[in-house]
Amino acid sequence: METAEFIRILEREGQSLASAAEQAGTDAKVPTCPGWQVRDLVRHTGVVHRWATAFVAEGHTAFRPFPDEPDLDGEELLAWFRDGHRRLVDTLDSAAPDVRCWHFLPAPSPLAFWARRQAHETAVHRFDAQAARGGTPDEPGRVFAADGIDELLRGFHARAKSQVRSAEPRVLRVRASDTDGAVWTVRLTAEPPATEYGEEGDADCEVSGPAARLYLTLWNRLPYPRVTGDASVAELWRERSAVD
């Protein structure tokens, strides 16, 4: 996917998140994020948007901590969120393709990283907001969802901080049944998971289903669509894959 596509998805998902949060009300519980109310979700996502904007807009080349969450609620909180989301979209839209700034996963460029990461961050939390509103949340597009699976498996969980470890080597296969070539093999050991495209070798467990369902499952928003083989490997992922 191209950077411009991610920016357009980010724009749409942020608008949908705000709309769902407004409909739900900031007191509503978020069933996909136990312990959170909608106000927590909106504050968190809004802070992440401002944090990301600063790297690109101000060219920071080293990590900077998240800003404090605002003491806002209701309409004021939603207006604050919409303003920050708009500034993020506009910053990414207007940034030079060769902008240099800090980023934390491999990417073709810092701009490509931030557009992709914020699109996925916002899409998952839009799902959370719609879950709080009630009804059936929208599913992400198939190609975008497959990209998000790849970012999670080969990006986030390739880092040393991943807690998905196994004293006994195990192999988990992830298969998006509706997307050609969208198969990953995840090798679990006492080290961070090692993930590669394809299905070379045997797997102890396979989780499969439509890309959108798998994407939300692997981010611990939905149950597994289908599990074959040793289900304890899938449960290991469920128990230890939270990302911070």
Side-chain angles (χ1 to χ4, degrees), residues 13 40 42 49 57 76-77 81 84 86-87 107-108 128 143 180 198 212:
E13 295 285 3
D40 303 305
V42 173
H49 285 172
E76 287 185 324
L77 176 60
F81 173 85
R86 183 72 259 162
R87 284 195 283 134
D128 294 330
V143 174
D180 289 344

Side-chain angles (χ1 to χ4, degrees), residues 135-173:
T136 303
D138 300 329
E139 290 189 342
R142 176 173 51 84
V143 174
F144 176 72
D147 178 83
I149 295 170
D150 188 68
E151 184 203 41
L152 182 64
L153 297 179
R154 298 203 305 142
F156 276 100
H157 284 287
R159 300 182 301 166
K161 61 171 60 179
S162 175
Q163 297 301 306
V164 187
R165 312 289 180 99
S166 176
E168 176 187 358
R170 311 292 279 166
V171 178
L172 173 67
R173 184 152 292 138

Side-chain angles (χ1 to χ4, degrees), residues 98-161:
D98 60 351
V99 64
R100 310 309 303 170
C101 62
W102 180 83
H103 57 292
F104 61 88
L105 295 178
S109 70
L111 181 60
F113 165 81
W114 283 112
R116 182 195 199 195
R117 175 81 292 275
Q118 290 307 299
H120 287 298
E121 175 83 12
T122 307
V124 171
H125 287 316
R126 183 272 305 157
F127 183 88
D128 294 330
Q130 290 184 337
R133 179 197 62 192
T136 303
D138 300 329
E139 290 189 342
R142 176 173 51 84
V143 174
F144 176 72
D147 178 83
I149 295 170
D150 188 68
E151 184 203 41
L152 182 64
L153 297 179
R154 298 203 305 142
F156 276 100
H157 284 287
R159 300 182 301 166
K161 61 171 60 179

Side-chain angles (χ1 to χ4, degrees), residues 6-213:
F6 286 119
I7 297 173
R8 297 284 72 79
I9 291 171
L10 165 63
E11 183 173 34
R12 183 174 65 249
E13 295 285 3
Q15 291 169 352
S16 296
L17 190 161
S19 177
E22 188 169 37
Q23 293 169 37
T26 55
D27 288 336
K29 293 181 179 180
V30 183
T32 48
C33 299
W36 271 18
Q37 293 175 293
V38 167
R39 65 173 58 86
D40 303 305
L41 176 68
V42 173
R43 288 170 181 166
H44 166 79
T45 313
V47 161
V48 172
H49 285 172
R50 283 165 166 75
W51 178 73
T53 298
F55 286 109
V56 179
E58 300 169 23
H60 300 301
T61 56
F63 171 80
R64 292 165 65 92
F66 288 104
D68 293 334
E69 293 186 358
D71 186 19
L72 298 173
D73 205 349
E75 293 182 4
E76 287 185 324
L77 176 60
L78 291 169
W80 171 87
F81 173 85
R82 287 182 167 114
D83 177 66
H85 170 250
R86 183 72 259 162
R87 284 195 283 134
L88 173 59
V89 170
D90 290 346
T91 295
L92 295 173
D93 257 336
S94 62
D98 60 351
V99 64
R100 310 309 303 170
C101 62
W102 180 83
H103 57 292
F104 61 88
L105 295 178
S109 70
L111 181 60
F113 165 81
W114 283 112
R116 182 195 199 195
R117 175 81 292 275
Q118 290 307 299
H120 287 298
E121 175 83 12
T122 307
V124 171
H125 287 316
R126 183 272 305 157
F127 183 88
D128 294 330
Q130 290 184 337
R133 179 197 62 192
T136 303
D138 300 329
E139 290 189 342
R142 176 173 51 84
V143 174
F144 176 72
D147 178 83
I149 295 170
D150 188 68
E151 184 203 41
L152 182 64
L153 297 179
R154 298 203 305 142
F156 276 100
H157 284 287
R159 300 182 301 166
K161 61 171 60 179
S162 175
Q163 297 301 306
V164 187
R165 312 289 180 99
S166 176
E168 176 187 358
R170 311 292 279 166
V171 178
L172 173 67
R173 184 152 292 138
V174 177
R175 184 187 305 274
S177 56
D178 60 348
T179 308
D180 289 344
V183 183
W184 298 263
T185 299
V186 186
R187 302 186 187 281
L188 304 176
T189 65
E191 299 300 317
T195 302
E196 59 199 38
Y197 279 125
E199 51 186 309
E200 183 176 347
D202 296 330
D204 297 293
C205 175
E206 177 170 306
V207 297
S208 60
R213 286 292 307 275

